[in-house]
Amino acid sequence: MSRRLLFIGSAGLAALGLATAAAAAPAASAAAPATNEVVRIALVLTMLSLIPALLVCMTSFVRIVVVLSMIRHAFGMPETPPNTVLVSLALFLTAFSMMPTFTAVNANAVQPYLAGQATTQQALDRGAEPFRAFMLRQVHDQDLKTVYQMARRPLPTRAADVGLMELTTGFMLNELRVSFRIGFVILLPFLLIDLVVSSILLSLGMLMVPPSTLALPLKVLMFVLIDGWSLVLAGVLGSFR
C-alpha cells in the first residue's frame, strides 16, 4: 500500500513539473523580446551620451569654433560675444555643413536599428561609414603619417585600411591646422589697425592713452562695414570638401 501511494505521489509531482515547464516556456519566449527592447533602449541612451564627444571629434565643429574664438580675440574682447553665443552658432553651422552626413547616418544606421532590422554592431559599422568618408575628404596624408608614427605602426596603403581612431586623431590635427591658418588671415587686418593707432598715439605724445581704447571702435566699424561675419562664415564653410 505504501509503495502504491509513493508511486501515485511521484507521478503527481512529475505531472506538476511538466505542467510548470510547459507554462514557463511561453512566458520565457514572451520575455525575450521585452529583454531585447530594454537592451536596445539602454544602448541608444549610451550612444546619446557619446554624441558630444563625437560632435567635437568627427565633425566640422572644431574648425568653426576655433575660428569664431579667434575673431573674438582679434577684437580684443575676450568675453564678447559670450561663449554661449559662439558655441550655439558653431553648433548650427556644424549641423548645416554636416547635414548630408547626418542624413546618411540616420537612413543607414539609426532607423534600421530602431526598427530592429540591424544589430548593434551592424548599426555602428553603418553609422561610422559616412563619418569616415567625411573625415577622409578633409584629412591629409601627412596627418595620418604623423599619427601612425606616434603609434609606431606602419601607414596603411589604402584609405579603407585606416583605423577609425587614427583617422579621427589625424582629422583633428588637420582641423586645428586649417583653423589656425584661417585665424592668421583674420588677425592680420586687426593687427594693422593696432599698429597704426599705436604709431599715431606715439607721434602725438599721448603715451598714457591705451591704444586698445581707440583701436576697438575702429575694428568694430571696419568689421561691420565689410560684413565680416558673413565673409568669415562663408569662407569657413567653403573650406570643407
Side-chain angles (χ1 to χ4, degrees), residues 1 5 30 34 52 68 82 111 116 129 132 142 144 147 149 154 156 158 168 172 174-176 203 209 218 223 227-228:
M1 184 68 179
L5 291 176
L68 293 178
Q111 294 303 324
E129 285 304 317
R132 283 180 57 89
Q142 184 60 39
L144 295 177
V147 172
Q149 284 178 349
R158 300 187 308 165
T168 304
M172 293 191 70
N174 175 77
E175 292 300 286
L176 290 174
S203 63
V209 179
L218 296 178
F223 202 72
D227 197 10

Side-chain angles (χ1 to χ4, degrees), residues 2-239:
S2 60
R3 291 181 178 179
R4 183 177 299 177
L5 291 176
L6 180 62
F7 176 76
I8 294 174
S10 301
L13 291 175
L16 181 61
L18 291 175
T20 303
S29 61
T35 303
N36 294 335
E37 187 67 23
V38 171
V39 173
R40 184 179 292 111
I41 293 175
L43 290 175
V44 169
L45 293 177
T46 303
M47 288 186 289
L48 288 176
S49 65
L50 297 176
I51 286 180
L54 297 178
L55 180 65
V56 172
C57 299
M58 304 174 68
T59 65
S60 57
F61 180 82
V62 173
R63 186 184 305 186
I64 295 173
V65 77
V66 170
V67 171
L68 293 178
S69 299
M70 285 195 169
I71 294 177
R72 182 173 64 179
H73 287 288
F75 279 108
M77 299 184 298
E79 300 295 334
T80 305
N83 289 330
T84 306
V85 175
L86 292 185
V87 172
S88 300
L89 180 58
L91 286 174
F92 279 104
L93 292 175
T94 300
F96 179 77
S97 62
M98 297 290 297
M99 189 57 65
T101 302
F102 292 156
T103 302
V105 171
N106 181 65
N108 299 333
V110 177
Q111 294 303 324
Y113 180 74
L114 295 179
Q117 300 173 357
T119 63
T120 302
Q121 188 61 42
Q122 291 174 343
L124 292 176
D125 294 339
R126 295 176 184 176
E129 285 304 317
F131 286 103
R132 283 180 57 89
F134 172 77
M135 290 189 291
L136 284 172
R137 291 196 304 268
Q138 315 302 325
V139 73
H140 291 78
D141 294 339
Q142 184 60 39
D143 299 320
L144 295 177
K145 182 179 179 181
T146 301
V147 172
Y148 274 91
Q149 284 178 349
M150 291 187 295
R152 298 181 181 179
R153 295 172 55 189
L155 181 67
T157 56
R158 300 187 308 165
D161 297 332
V162 178
L164 185 61
M165 183 175 297
E166 291 81 5
L167 177 59
T168 304
T169 306
F171 170 74
M172 293 191 70
L173 290 177
N174 175 77
E175 292 300 286
L176 290 174
R177 184 182 63 251
V178 174
S179 60
F180 272 68
R181 286 179 179 177
I182 298 175
F184 174 75
V185 176
I186 293 173
L187 288 172
L188 281 180
F190 294 97
L191 177 61
L192 180 60
I193 293 177
D194 287 331
L195 292 176
V196 171
V197 172
S198 299
S199 300
I200 294 176
L201 292 177
L202 183 61
S203 63
L204 294 177
M206 303 174 63
L207 301 179
M208 302 301 295
V209 179
S212 59
T213 304
L214 299 179
L216 179 58
L218 296 178
K219 293 177 182 179
V220 174
L221 178 62
M222 181 200 70
F223 202 72
V224 171
L225 290 178
I226 65 173
D227 197 10
W229 288 110
S230 298
L231 292 176
V232 171
L233 297 181
V236 173
L237 294 183
S239 63

